[in-house]
Amino acid sequence: MVLVSSCLMGFPCRYNGVIKNHPELADALGRVAVPVCPEVLGGLGIPRPPSEILGGTGAQVRVGPARVVNILGEDVTRAYLSGAQIALSIGMQAGCRVAVLKARSPACGIGAIYDGSFTGTLRTGDGVFAALLRAHGFKVYTEDELEEALLSLDCQVTGAV
Ligand code: SF4
C-alpha cells in the first residue's frame, strides 16, 4: 500500500477546491493507494486561503521556530501538525512505507516548497507532512517521480508516466 496525496487521486481537496486530474497516477496506484489530505484532516475547509511555511521548512515547523501562515496572515500551524499526525497514523495502520505526494505544497511538498512570501518563490525543503513521513522512515516521492515510487514498491510501471 502507498500513501498518496488525495488531490493527486482526483479528490477536490485543494485549497481552491479545483480538481486536477492525474489519470496516470490513478491508473498506476489505484489498487494500492491510501489517499490522505493532511490539510483537511487537520480541520481546514474547502475552499481555504492558501498557506505557506514562514521562517523555515516543514521539519522546522515540527520543532520550531517556523510556522505555517495563510495569505490572510492567520497562523494555521496547529492544523498542519495535527493533520500530518492523523495522516501518518492512517498510513501506518494501512502498512504503507512509501508515499507519493503533491509537489511544492506546504504539507505534502518534497525537496522544494514556497518560501512564505506568496510570490511564487521556492526554497529547498519539505512540507510538514512530508517531513513527518521522512522522520518515520517513509520513502517519499512527488508525482513527478512516479516511476521511482513504483520501482520502490516492486511494481511494474504501466502506461505513460
Ligand atoms: S497537496 Fe496535500 S494537503 Fe494539499 S490538497 Fe493535496 S493532499 Fe491536501
Side-chain angles (χ1 to χ4, degrees), residues 45-67:
I46 308 168
R48 56 189 173 275
S51 296
E52 296 189 4
I53 295 175
L54 193 61
T57 66
Q60 292 164 320
V61 171
R62 293 184 53 232
V63 298
R67 299 176 296 127

Side-chain angles (χ1 to χ4, degrees), residues 82-158:
S82 67
Q85 200 64 52
I86 294 167
L88 169 67
S89 298
I90 291 169
M92 293 190 77
Q93 285 174 21
C96 301
R97 302 306 298 163
V98 173
V100 178
L101 304 179
K102 178 75 186 76
R104 294 177 293 280
S105 152
C108 295
I110 297 167
I113 51 174
Y114 293 111
D115 71 350
S117 65
F118 294 94
T119 61
T121 307
L122 292 171
R123 63 166 295 159
T124 300
D126 297 327
V128 176
F129 179 45
L132 182 65
L133 292 180
R134 274 196 209 273
H136 284 79
F138 276 68
K139 293 181 180 175
V140 292
Y141 302 90
T142 72
E143 71 270 30
D144 300 323
E145 301 168 316
L146 180 56
E147 189 168 352
E148 293 93 324
L150 291 171
L151 287 171
S152 78
L153 287 165
D154 292 329
C155 293
Q156 293 292 317
V157 177
T158 56

